[in-house]
Amino acid sequence: MTHLSPFRRGAAVLACAGFLCGVLGTGTAAAASPAAATAGGGHGPSKGRVIAKNGLELRDGPGTAYRAVGSLPYGTVVTLRCKVNGENVHGNPRWYQVGEGRVTWLSARYVETLGTAPRWCADRHR
């Protein structure tokens, strides 16, 4: 077996991925783009558990300046639709979009993901 430097190994992996994407008809740009995963659905819904001891505010947008529209108690498990970068809350800029009818947001700082992390939101919210 030939020993490859980390750089050459990475280049070989990318070349193989590009080839496979071309064979499958999706193209390398689609495989590398977060928007492509959003458009195709990528994977099923993600779940998260509220870990804020006093509960967590639901907001109209990804920041504390947005209006609070409700709250969830500690331990509540919710479906996380997607994520964006928003206001930084104690070192964490991620916010999760939740809700089926009305779109609301939770600070990721106080949500423990269960299983896979949610995909990026298509419009990045702003």
Side-chain angles (χ1 to χ4, degrees), residues 37-82:
T38 299
H43 53 78
S46 300
K47 298 284 187 187
R49 178 180 294 120
V50 174
I51 59 171
K53 297 294 183 191
N54 294 323
L56 185 57
E57 297 286 336
L58 291 161
R59 300 204 173 259
D60 270 340
T64 59
Y66 289 90
R67 184 170 55 106
V69 293
S71 64
L72 297 173
Y74 173 83
T76 302
V77 174
V78 296
T79 299
L80 307 174
R81 294 176 64 185
C82 59

Side-chain angles (χ1 to χ4, degrees), residues 5-24:
S5 71
F7 176 78
R8 287 180 182 248
R9 189 176 314 121
V13 168
L14 288 175
C16 288
F19 173 75
L20 288 175
C21 287
V23 169
L24 297 174

Side-chain angles (χ1 to χ4, degrees), residues 49-53 55-57 64 74 80 83-84 86-96 105-113:
R49 178 180 294 120
V50 174
I51 59 171
K53 297 294 183 191
L56 185 57
E57 297 286 336
T64 59
Y74 173 83
L80 307 174
K83 64 185 172 186
V84 297
E87 178 185 346
N88 190 317
V89 176
H90 299 287
N92 190 334
R94 300 277 192 280
W95 285 75
Y96 296 133
W105 299 85
L106 298 172
S107 170
R109 169 67 177 87
Y110 298 106
V111 177
E112 170 189 35
T113 55

Side-chain angles (χ1 to χ4, degrees), residues 100-125:
E100 291 303 316
R102 179 181 189 161
V103 174
T104 55
W105 299 85
L106 298 172
S107 170
R109 169 67 177 87
Y110 298 106
V111 177
E112 170 189 35
T113 55
L114 306 173
T116 60
R119 63 182 171 78
W120 289 98
C121 297
D123 62 1
R124 300 275 207 253
H125 191 265

